[in-house]
Amino acid sequence: MMTKVLDRRFMLSLVCCVVLALLLGFSALRYYEQEQLITLQATQIERSRQELLALRVDLQTLLSAESSQLAQLDLQSRQLAEQAQQLALYRQVLASDNGGELLLTHEDITPLGETGLFAYRLVLLQPTKTDKRVTGQARLKVRALQDGKSVLLSEDTLGVAPVSLDFRHFQVLSGQLQLPKDSQAQTLELHLNLTGRPARTLSLNWPVAELSQSSASTLVKPE
């Protein structure tokens, strides 16, 4: 009887050990599978990260190339505009139906960062086919409104100096001028003291605020 009880206990213990061994084996297998899955996921994440970095590099390269192309196109556009402007100027210089008058045109009058400060680029030209040179001196002035009154701003006020003239077809006058506060420019005037010719004044309308008007020109008027 005692032997049978011991045999039952042994068998029960054996069964428990087998079940425990099976559970441990199953757990170990599940742990191994999960570890393999985690490793695979980590590998895929790293591969995706590398692909994303490569895409970012490609995108930066494309953006840099696009920026360079846009800069080149902008430069070419400015060069074409300058060439067109020069061509129009040469055509005007070589015109033969304007008599013996001088002309004044402005290529650019641009506001700078400081309030009232402008950069200007003017062209004084003699649009006739002649070998006669124009010499003398030019003084730049601006007619403006101050407190509702029209005033003529002198060189000292504008911070510009007289310019010596010596040309046959045209001469470019460029620089910067400073308008006083609370003044509204109306016209730009160029007072000429020419060798062997009467004193003359050329005037241009001051561009509107947006500076969108095209370059204007006026005939010289004797003073």
Side-chain angles (χ1 to χ4, degrees), residues 38-204:
I38 292 174
T39 302
L40 179 61
Q41 289 177 343
T43 302
Q44 291 176 345
I45 290 174
E46 178 63 21
R47 185 180 302 165
S48 298
R49 189 180 71 86
Q50 293 295 336
E51 291 176 353
L52 180 60
L53 289 176
L55 289 174
R56 286 180 177 177
V57 172
D58 292 341
L59 179 60
Q60 289 294 334
T61 302
L62 289 174
L63 290 176
S64 178
E66 182 182 8
S67 177
S68 177
Q69 290 177 352
L70 289 175
Q72 292 178 355
L73 288 175
D74 183 61
L75 177 60
Q76 291 175 356
S77 177
R78 291 199 304 268
Q79 290 175 343
L80 288 174
E82 292 176 357
Q83 291 173 1
Q85 197 172 48
Q86 290 296 328
L87 179 59
L89 174 62
Y90 290 139
R91 285 176 176 174
Q92 193 171 13
V93 168
L94 297 177
S96 59
D97 57 352
N98 288 294
E101 299 289 352
L102 297 178
L103 292 177
L104 175 66
T105 68
H106 76 265
E107 290 188 340
D108 194 25
I109 298 179
T110 307
L112 301 178
E114 183 179 342
T115 302
L117 184 63
F118 290 82
Y120 63 88
R121 181 180 173 86
L122 311 174
V123 180
L124 178 62
L125 56 91
Q126 180 175 229
T128 55
K129 296 178 180 179
T130 177
D131 292 330
K132 186 175 182 181
R133 301 192 68 83
V134 177
T135 59
Q137 190 177 69
R139 296 180 179 273
L140 185 66
K141 299 182 181 182
V142 173
R143 188 168 297 278
L145 284 178
Q146 285 186 338
D147 298 327
K149 298 180 180 179
S150 178
V151 297
L152 187 61
L153 304 176
S154 65
E155 301 164 296
D156 294 336
T157 303
L158 300 174
V160 296
V163 179
S164 295
L165 302 176
D166 188 359
F167 67 94
R168 186 176 62 181
H169 294 303
F170 69 91
Q171 182 170 332
V172 177
L173 311 176
S174 61
Q176 296 181 2
L177 61 84
Q178 177 71 55
L179 294 177
K181 293 182 179 180
D182 302 325
S183 63
Q184 181 180 356
Q186 293 181 306
T187 59
L188 183 147
E189 297 185 1
L190 194 66
H191 295 252
L192 304 176
N193 291 317
L194 304 176
T195 304
R197 302 188 185 189
R200 299 181 179 183
T201 298
L202 294 79
S203 64
L204 291 171

Side-chain angles (χ1 to χ4, degrees), residues 11-27:
M11 289 300 295
L12 183 60
S13 298
L14 182 60
V15 170
C16 290
C17 289
V18 172
V19 172
L20 182 60
L22 290 174
L23 290 175
L24 289 174
F26 180 75
S27 299

